[in-house]
Amino acid sequence: MFDPVIAPSGTLLGLLQRGRGDGTLHALTAPRPEALAALNTCVLHDPRHDWQVENRSLYYARLYLDLNGELDEIEAHLFDAEDILDTDESRTGLALAVLGHLASYGRRDALELLRRYAAHGSNWAWALDELALRDDDAGLRALAAPVLARFPADPEGEAELAAAVRDAFEPRPWRLWAEDPRASIATRVRAAQEAGSFDRWQRQMRPSGPRPGWSVRAVFEWAQQGVERGAALHVPAARCLTAVAGPEDRAEIIDAARHGDDGARCTALRYLADSHDPDVLDLIEAAQAAGSRLVVDAAVDAFERMRSVAAVERARRWAHRPDALGQAAGRVLACRGGAQDSELVLGALREAVRGDGPDASTLYTLVDGTGRLGIACAAPVLRHVYRETASSHLRGRTARALAATDPSFPAGFAVECLWDCEETTREVAARHAETGDARVVDQLRRLAADPAEEAEVQTAVRSRIGPDATAV
């Protein structure tokens, strides 16, 4: 999947792509055709950089409801000829998730569209998972025949069916079909369930990797084999060292951290950092100076995991370094530094935004640290990150930091956060948004009554509008 093209943050499309609350508020006041066009663009071309940590489906589904939006564009996208050529779930996953939420809100057209796609579409498994949560038994039973017809009745087809049953995110349809009165349906599904269970048992009985009795050298060799295959195994290898290494092996591990091949060096650095070896900080610094990219990344990661006073003190020395270790030092201080480190953390935050922009991966930790340390003068930088980042996950963490540092947050960004795509951001807003604005009170009541809303958000809302609340 290619990285999405994100429109400027000041445009309606850019706001909706980011999942900002202001996107919904602007869409509701914009001409309806313009708002629906921007909404369809977002749903048909997933704007998220990482769909595993960023939410959009409920946000877009609610806007379809508010705009009384038709589903013609989604239907055309799902059943386009490209669906046969491009079977990557990223092409249709967001649209299917939006339909799932719309079905739960009672949109019959969304439910029927999901049923049709589960029967005929390439990403049928995702559609079936959505239906498993929303459809009735009769609707799911009607899909048994078209879904099973996807798998030929030969050994290869039966193996594929067993894998589909085994890997299904929602098992409800398969359990219904296993009890289907049609013998041709029930027999195949039961056989697939048994084959999937047997396959899991076989994999558990054939573990790969280190065995009891391995030596330190054997663990290093296993880690290097992973490097040669393109698989980073130094993290599990370091855990293995914890089990097999004794005090007499320290010299060998130190030597591997200095001079070993990449697999051994990464493993040794991780092990020594986790065990708080007194020499590990010097070894990490040496790895930064003369290691491969893989070794440098492993050294930096090992350093960031350290919780010792010595690691924090070294971070204060390294914070001004213009390399990956200097960036890691800023993150260590953000996580574990004290009030005396506020200037260093603020400097790291500013440098990250200036050098790498509002989507830099290092910002997640720095933003959290800014909020933890209550660095009030960081508010302007945090506001910039909030407005410009394309990551709704980072924006939510920025909102929490602003709540701790910016006195204007309750009357400012907290208001729009009530409509944000991330439930954690809505929760922050529910706890902080000033209720002098009538829109805030109305939205709090809507969230409290919405069965699709997360429990944590509704708990926060009830703290503001419940019988014992005083804010509203």
Side-chain angles (χ1 to χ4, degrees):
M1 179 180 177
F2 295 104
D3 284 340
V5 177
I6 304 298
S9 61
T11 64
L12 175 59
L13 177 59
L15 290 170
L16 291 178
Q17 287 177 317
R18 288 167 172 81
R20 278 183 56 182
D22 256 5
T24 294
L25 297 175
H26 280 65
L28 295 177
T29 59
R32 184 171 176 272
E34 178 186 341
L36 283 175
L39 177 58
N40 284 325
T41 296
C42 294
V43 173
L44 306 186
H45 306 282
D46 194 336
R48 296 171 294 181
H49 286 279
D50 187 351
W51 61 270
Q52 293 180 306
V53 298
E54 294 185 57
N55 298 306
R56 291 291 189 282
S57 54
L58 180 59
Y59 172 83
Y60 292 142
R62 284 171 169 168
L63 190 50
Y64 271 112
L65 291 177
D66 291 339
L67 295 172
N68 193 25
E70 302 84 2
L71 304 181
D72 297 350
E73 293 289 334
I74 294 180
E75 181 178 11
H77 178 74
L78 293 178
F79 293 100
D80 189 270
E82 189 179 358
D83 190 58
I84 300 173
L85 304 174
D86 182 3
T87 59
D88 193 309
E89 63 182 14
S90 64
R91 195 189 81 85
T92 54
L94 179 57
L96 294 172
V98 169
L99 290 177
H101 283 299
L102 288 174
S104 69
Y105 280 121
R107 286 282 297 259
R108 186 74 185 181
D109 52 347
L111 182 65
E112 295 293 343
L113 196 49
L114 278 172
R115 288 172 174 172
R116 281 179 54 207
Y117 190 81
H120 305 291
S122 294
N123 195 12
W124 62 272
W126 192 312
L128 187 61
D129 285 338
E130 296 292 340
L131 289 168
L133 299 173
R134 281 105 179 176
D135 209 351
D136 55 30
D137 287 355
L140 290 174
R141 288 195 180 99
L143 291 170
V147 168
L148 291 184
R150 296 174 178 275
F151 303 95
D154 55 29
E156 183 178 350
E158 298 301 340
E160 292 176 355
L161 176 59
V165 175
R166 182 194 68 217
D167 299 335
F169 191 73
E170 294 291 342
R172 179 178 164 228
W174 302 101
R175 290 172 180 167
L176 279 175
W177 299 343
E179 304 298 327
D180 197 284
R182 293 166 289 183
S184 60
I185 299 293
T187 301
R188 287 194 75 189
V189 173
R190 287 174 185 168
Q193 288 175 327
E194 291 174 1
S197 298
F198 181 70
D199 180 58
R200 279 194 294 269
W201 176 79
Q202 281 189 313
R203 286 190 290 179
Q204 291 170 354
M205 295 299 291
R206 294 195 304 267
S208 61
R211 302 287 196 278
W214 271 31
S215 66
V216 168
R217 174 50 47 192
V219 172
F220 286 152
E221 289 173 354
W222 178 64
Q224 182 59 25
Q225 290 169 9
V227 172
E228 293 167 358
R229 296 197 311 268
L233 298 178
H234 63 275
V235 174
R239 290 198 294 269
C240 292
L241 276 188
T242 302
V244 306
E248 69 278 4
D249 298 305
R250 180 176 181 272
E252 181 180 358
I253 296 172
I254 292 287
D255 184 69
R258 285 199 180 101
H259 308 298
D261 51 30
D262 283 359
R265 200 171 184 186
C266 293
T267 301
L269 288 169
R270 177 72 170 227
Y271 168 81
L272 293 169
D274 287 350
S275 57
H276 303 290
D277 189 278
D279 291 337
V280 69
L281 292 169
D282 292 333
L283 292 169
I284 288 172
E285 190 169 19
Q288 168 66 49
S292 67
R293 183 73 250 174
L294 180 65
V295 171
V296 169
D297 289 344
V300 167
D301 184 59
F303 171 57
E304 287 193 63
R305 288 172 51 83
M306 296 181 70
R307 300 293 189 271
S308 64
V309 173
V312 174
E313 291 175 349
R314 190 66 67 96
R316 291 174 180 138
R317 288 169 45 189
W318 288 347
H320 299 290
R321 293 176 62 120
D323 55 19
L325 201 52
Q327 293 178 351
R331 294 191 292 269
V332 167
L333 295 176
C335 291
R336 292 178 283 283
Q340 70 271 31
D341 302 307
S342 294
E343 284 297 323
L344 291 175
V345 173
L346 177 58
L349 176 70
R350 287 171 172 165
E351 183 60 32
V353 173
R354 184 164 48 243
D356 299 316
D359 293 312
S361 59
T362 192
L363 287 175
Y364 291 81
T365 304
L366 294 174
V367 162
D368 288 348
T370 302
R372 181 182 72 85
L373 295 171
I375 307 175
C377 56
V381 183
L382 294 174
R383 293 189 205 112
H384 172 77
V385 173
Y386 178 96
R387 292 188 189 97
E388 298 301 328
T389 182
S391 167
S392 57
H393 184 53
L394 176 57
R395 184 177 64 252
R397 293 167 79 155
T398 306
R400 288 195 295 275
L402 283 168
T405 60
D406 186 1
S408 71
F409 178 73
F413 286 138
V415 174
E416 72 155 281
C417 285
L418 286 170
W419 286 265
D420 197 88
C421 66
E422 298 289 342
E423 64 266 19
T424 53
T425 308
R426 297 194 296 274
E427 181 184 355
V428 171
R431 297 188 185 283
H432 291 91
E434 285 189 359
T435 54
D437 188 330
R439 296 177 303 170
V440 171
V441 178
D442 291 342
Q443 182 65 1
L444 288 172
R445 289 172 176 155
R446 178 182 179 180
L447 295 176
D450 191 337
E453 189 52 80
E454 295 292 332
E456 292 82 359
V457 177
Q458 293 190 325
T459 297
V461 170
R462 284 193 292 271
S463 73
R464 303 295 300 280
I465 64 175
D468 298 326
T470 60
V472 176

